Amino acid sequence: SLPSTMTPGICLILKSRLDNNTMTGTIPTEIGNCDNLIQLVLASNNFSGPLPSELGQLIELETLDVHNNSLTGTIPSELGKWYHLKKSFRNISVASNQFEGTIPTELGRLT
C-alpha cells in the first residue's frame, strides 16, 4: 500500500510508476501534497475506496493512470481543475474500476 504520510522525500519524485505491483489499500489523500508530481501510474493493482479529490491539487500532473483496480464512488469533479491550466496534454485512465455515476463535465473540457 502507499504510505498515508507523504514524507518530503516521496514528494520529490516527479514520475511514479507503481503499476502491476499487487498493491492494496486506498490511495491516500495526502498524495495531493506532492505538487511536483508529473506522472502517477497506479494501474493494475488492488487499490480500493474512492479516488481522492485531492488529486485535483496536482497542478503539474500530466498523466493519471489508475485503470484495473477496485476503486469505488464517483470520479471527482476536482480533476477538472486542470482545465484552467495552460498545459494541453492530460492522460487520464480510470477504466476497469467500480466507479458509479456520471463522468464530471469538467473532465470534458480537458484537451
Side-chain angles (χ1 to χ4, degrees), residues 75-83 92 94 103-111:
I75 298 171
S77 61
E78 288 82 359
L79 300 185
K81 290 180 182 177
W82 296 330
Y83 168 70
I92 301 173
V94 295
I103 297 172
T105 56
E106 295 84 355
L107 289 181
R109 296 183 187 140
L110 299 176
T111 57

Side-chain angles (χ1 to χ4, degrees), residues 37-50:
L37 198 58
I38 295 171
Q39 182 183 70
L40 180 60
V41 180
L42 301 174
S44 298
N45 282 293
N46 294 309
F47 286 111
S48 59

Side-chain angles (χ1 to χ4, degrees), residues 32-71:
N33 297 329
C34 296
D35 52 3
N36 291 324
L37 198 58
I38 295 171
Q39 182 183 70
L40 180 60
V41 180
L42 301 174
S44 298
N45 282 293
N46 294 309
F47 286 111
S48 59
L51 190 60
S53 60
E54 289 79 2
L55 289 170
Q57 299 171 14
L58 300 176
I59 60 172
E60 298 297 325
L61 195 66
E62 295 176 358
T63 299
L64 173 63
D65 187 352
V66 293
H67 82 273
N68 198 27
N69 278 287
S70 296
L71 297 171

Side-chain angles (χ1 to χ4, degrees), residues 1-33:
S1 64
L2 292 175
S4 60
T5 48
M6 295 293 162
T7 62
I10 291 174
C11 287
L12 291 176
I13 297 170
L14 298 179
K15 295 183 179 184
S16 179
R17 289 200 61 111
L18 299 171
D19 50 325
N20 295 305
N21 279 297
T22 61
M23 297 180 82
T24 60
T26 59
I27 300 172
T29 58
E30 292 84 1
I31 202 155
N33 297 329

